């Protein structure tokens, strides 16, 4: 080897303070909180961060950016205002830069359209392009240890679709923050296909639909997304029948009254976290109608008026199939056949449709899929659920000193109903940032030639046989 040149094994491995996996609103809010800290702190207090996102670019519920659909949360619950109203990343600052501030005020509304709020999020995200690796999928966390303790993780990753094709690598960090969002909840026995969709892909799939021989869509579900999907299909395809199938008697309105909305206050997270398990279950049950399987009252009224007006005119293009369950779906060459059963009469019938749209909700990604063997070192409660401390960090045994922080619905059992929502993102990002700071600065880079030796020999911790875990787009 020529003098003055170091081998690959002698090069230093850079260490980040935090790697965020997923770059939706949750980790975007964290990126802002970290940046704002770094801009005012001493050099030795800087947090070194990077983010991995499987999508090719920033996007949040793109398939449901229905024209005219509004947010169900106030613009003041943006990524920063509840934590720092003076931040340059507020929704109001966005409006000012877009030269729409006065126009927005004249609307006399707290609720921007979903399209506009997505543009706000993209506006924020554009300031972090140098910190985000798009088209990059996290595969697994691998422990790096010294003296029997895991102080760092190597995040195994795969970059998809680059100029050189798919490539694999890793990044080393003291902490990870999982903001991997939700995955679609699909009814048992149903498989997605060319004519069987989850509503998250609604706008994309309708654009691809070239032939519609049945002139019918079947929408399954009773929540906000289901009602929006039914309304969108009814409006977009004026020659088609839209069948709304749900087991309830009718759409139920969301409780957005002022006192009920206090369940979304940052202080409510403290109340929930400290409450006994029975109280937590009761609170989730009492206030589920603020968020789950409920619909905005104005949209309910609009759909009801449509059904009534069709009765007056003698047509029935919007059919509400209440107390009816989806009991099967069959993909056909030119559509999909939905099998539905009346819960009151037991009558079973089929709906041959151009598409069956499942607005059946989401479920959280299980972080243990990404943790692999490390999951054996995470502590659980009496129901087998992950224990999470107040600062959103997984509770592990004493061998793990590196931190794993969770954002999203996976923390609902400990932090309450806001876990998967926007309402407390601003405050939560500050809490996680402060927890990262309290764990101290990153250690100096380690010599790459010691990396293999630093991996734990314990097969239960350092095993490589775990399945690669795909990371869903963040929410």
């Amino acid at each position: 080897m020529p003098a003055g040149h170091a081998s690959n094994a002698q090069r230093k491995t850079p260490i980040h303070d935090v790697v965020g996996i997923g770059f939706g609103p949750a980790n975007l809010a964290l990126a802002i909180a970290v940046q704002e800290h770094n801009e005012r702190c001493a050099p030795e207090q800087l947090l070194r961060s990077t983010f991995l996102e499987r999508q090719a670019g920033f996007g949040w519920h793109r398939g449901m950016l229905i024209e005219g659909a509004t947010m169900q949360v106030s613009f003041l619950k943006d990524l920063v205002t509840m934590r720092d109203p003076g931040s340059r990343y507020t929704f109001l600052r966005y409006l000012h830069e877009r030269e729409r501030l006065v126009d927005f005020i004249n609307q006399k509304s707290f609720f921007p359209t979903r399209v506009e709020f997505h543009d706000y999020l993209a506006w924020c995200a554009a300031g972090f392009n140098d910190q985000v690796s798009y088209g990059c999928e996290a595969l697994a966390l691998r422990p790096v240890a010294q003296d029997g303790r895991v102080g760092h993780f190597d995040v195994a990753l795969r970059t998809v679709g680059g100029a050189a094709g798919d490539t694999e690598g890793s990044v080393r960090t003291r902490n990870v923050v999982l903001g991997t969002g939700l995955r679609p909840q699909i009814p048992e026995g149903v498989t997605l296909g060319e004519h069987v969709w989850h509503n998250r892909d609604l706008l994309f799939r309708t654009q691809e639909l070239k032939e519609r021989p049945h002139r019918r869509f079947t929408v399954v579900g009773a929540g906000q997304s289901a009602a929006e999907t039914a309304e969108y299909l009814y409006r977009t395809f004026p020659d088609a029948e839209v069948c709304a199938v749900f087991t309830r008697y009718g759409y139920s309105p969301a409780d957005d009254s002022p006192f009920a909305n206090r369940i979304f206050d940052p202080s409510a997270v403290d109340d929930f976290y400290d409450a006994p398990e029975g109280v937590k279950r009761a609170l989730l049950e009492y206030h589920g109608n603020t968020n789950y399987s409920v619909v905005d009252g104005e949209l309910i009224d609009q759909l009801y008026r449509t059904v009534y007006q069709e009765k007056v005119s003698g047509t029935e293009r919007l059919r509400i199939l209440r107390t009816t369950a989806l009991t099967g779906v069959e993909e056909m060459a030119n559509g999909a056949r939905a099998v539905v059963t009346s819960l009151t009469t037991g009558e079973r019938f089929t709906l041959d449709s151009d598409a069956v749209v499942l607005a059946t909700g989401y479920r959280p990604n299980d972080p243990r899929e990404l943790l692999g063997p490390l999951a054996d070192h995470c502590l659980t409660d009496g129901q087998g659920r992950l224990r999470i401390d107040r600062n959103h960090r997984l509770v592990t045994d004493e061998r793990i000193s590196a931190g794993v922080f969770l954002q999203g619905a996976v923390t609902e059992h400990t932090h309450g109903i806001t876990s998967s929502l926007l309402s407390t993102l601003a405050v939560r990002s500050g809490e996680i940032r402060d927890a990262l700071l309290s764990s101290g600065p990153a250690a100096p880079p380690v010599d790459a030639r010691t990396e293999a030796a630093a991996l734990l020999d314990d097969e239960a911790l350092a095993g490589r046989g775990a399945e690669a875990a795909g990371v869903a787009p963040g929410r």
Side-chain angles (χ1 to χ4, degrees):
M1 185 192 317
H5 289 268
S7 69
N8 287 338
Q10 292 173 323
R11 292 173 185 162
K12 300 294 185 180
T13 300
I15 301 177
H16 295 275
D17 291 293
V18 58
V19 170
I21 300 177
F23 199 65
N27 272 345
L28 173 55
L30 176 63
I32 293 171
V34 169
Q35 182 190 81
E36 292 181 338
H37 161 78
N38 287 348
E39 289 174 345
R40 59 177 179 263
C41 74
E44 64 273 12
Q45 295 177 321
L46 289 172
L47 284 171
R48 289 167 287 183
S49 61
T50 191
F51 298 86
L52 312 176
E53 171 54 56
R54 189 175 67 172
Q55 295 185 108
F58 182 83
W60 179 67
H61 293 298
R62 285 187 177 274
M64 284 296 290
L65 295 180
I66 297 172
E67 181 182 358
T70 59
M71 300 292 293
Q72 274 73 58
V73 64
S74 167
F75 72 88
L76 293 172
K77 292 184 176 181
D78 57 22
L79 299 179
V80 292
T81 296
M82 298 287 283
R83 174 176 52 82
D84 179 11
S87 169
R88 69 174 181 272
Y89 289 101
T90 64
F91 186 78
L92 290 178
R93 180 67 174 267
Y94 155 80
L95 289 173
H96 180 71
E97 290 203 7
R98 291 285 197 257
E99 298 183 350
R100 292 200 305 269
L101 180 56
V102 172
D103 297 326
F104 183 86
I105 291 171
N106 287 338
Q107 286 189 124
K108 301 180 180 179
S109 173
F110 276 94
F111 306 106
T113 65
R114 198 172 295 151
V115 169
E116 183 174 35
F117 200 79
H118 184 277
D119 190 58
Y120 157 70
L121 295 174
W123 173 81
C124 291
F128 297 90
N129 286 337
D130 60 337
Q131 297 182 39
V132 185
S133 296
Y134 289 107
C136 188
E137 181 179 21
L139 302 175
L141 297 188
R142 296 171 178 167
V144 180
Q146 186 174 8
D147 299 327
R149 291 178 63 85
V150 175
H152 302 88
F153 301 122
D154 279 341
V155 182
L157 56 89
R158 176 171 57 233
T159 301
V160 181
D166 293 359
T167 59
E168 294 192 0
S170 66
V171 60
R172 184 162 294 182
T173 182
R174 295 174 55 246
N175 302 278
V176 295
V177 180
L178 304 184
T180 53
L182 301 163
R183 63 181 64 178
Q185 180 72 50
I186 307 300
E188 186 176 355
V190 177
T191 302
L192 298 179
E194 185 178 355
H195 301 280
V196 182
W197 315 331
H198 189 272
N199 72 277
R200 72 168 182 175
D201 300 319
L202 178 67
L203 297 186
F204 307 131
R205 302 305 295 268
T206 53
Q207 292 173 6
E208 298 169 356
L209 198 60
K210 303 303 182 185
E211 297 181 359
R212 295 188 295 108
H214 304 288
R215 297 293 189 268
R216 175 189 288 139
F217 292 94
T218 299
V219 180
V220 182
Q224 180 72 24
S225 293
E228 289 179 355
T229 297
E231 190 279 332
Y232 168 79
L233 292 171
Y234 180 88
R235 169 167 44 91
T236 305
F237 300 96
D239 62 338
E241 177 182 275
V242 177
C243 298
V245 175
F246 46 79
T247 57
R248 298 185 176 199
Y249 207 78
Y251 293 114
S252 298
D255 184 355
D256 61 353
S257 58
F259 286 110
N261 271 347
R262 298 190 72 175
I263 196 70
F264 303 124
D265 291 353
S267 61
V269 177
D270 290 317
D271 296 337
F272 189 93
Y273 190 86
D274 294 331
E277 184 59 34
V279 174
K280 289 177 178 172
R281 288 196 302 269
L283 287 172
L284 289 174
E285 182 178 348
Y286 292 153
H287 296 289
N289 65 345
T290 60
N291 182 58
Y292 294 117
S293 297
V294 289
V295 182
D296 178 74
E298 290 185 5
L299 181 54
I300 292 176
D301 291 343
Q302 177 185 339
L303 292 173
Y304 188 87
R305 283 194 299 269
T306 299
V307 171
Y308 181 77
Q309 289 164 4
E310 288 189 339
K311 285 187 175 182
V312 172
S313 64
T315 62
E316 188 179 13
R317 198 163 64 80
L318 179 58
R319 296 176 59 195
I320 306 297
L321 305 181
R322 61 196 182 203
T323 61
T324 301
L326 179 75
T327 51
V329 178
E330 175 187 349
E331 184 91 34
M332 302 187 297
N334 59 357
R337 175 170 293 162
V339 181
V340 298
T341 303
S342 170
L343 299 180
T344 54
T345 67
E347 180 186 3
R348 182 180 180 184
F349 53 99
T350 60
L351 298 168
D352 288 353
S353 310
D354 298 310
V356 174
V357 186
L358 306 172
T360 47
Y362 297 85
R363 58 189 175 91
N365 287 295
D366 189 341
R368 283 170 282 208
E369 296 176 5
L370 194 63
L371 294 174
L374 283 165
D376 294 337
H377 297 264
C378 297
L379 305 188
T380 57
D381 62 16
Q383 300 181 50
R385 301 172 302 187
L386 292 170
R387 288 179 55 187
I388 306 162
D389 75 13
R390 176 60 187 82
N391 291 323
H392 315 279
R393 180 172 178 165
L394 271 178
V395 180
T396 61
D397 64 28
E398 68 281 356
R399 296 183 66 184
I400 313 296
S401 59
V404 178
F405 294 81
L406 302 180
Q407 301 218 58
V410 70
T411 69
E412 186 177 83
H413 67 286
T414 54
H415 289 69
I417 202 167
T418 61
S419 293
S420 62
L421 307 177
L422 294 172
S423 293
T424 59
L425 275 193
V427 173
R428 185 171 75 207
S429 62
E431 292 171 345
I432 294 176
R433 177 203 60 196
D434 293 346
L436 294 169
L437 288 167
S438 67
S439 63
V446 298
D447 204 332
R449 64 189 170 189
T450 68
E451 180 177 343
L455 295 174
L456 286 183
D457 293 329
D458 183 350
E459 292 184 0
L461 187 58
R464 295 293 185 268
E467 292 288 334
V471 177
R475 304 266 170 221

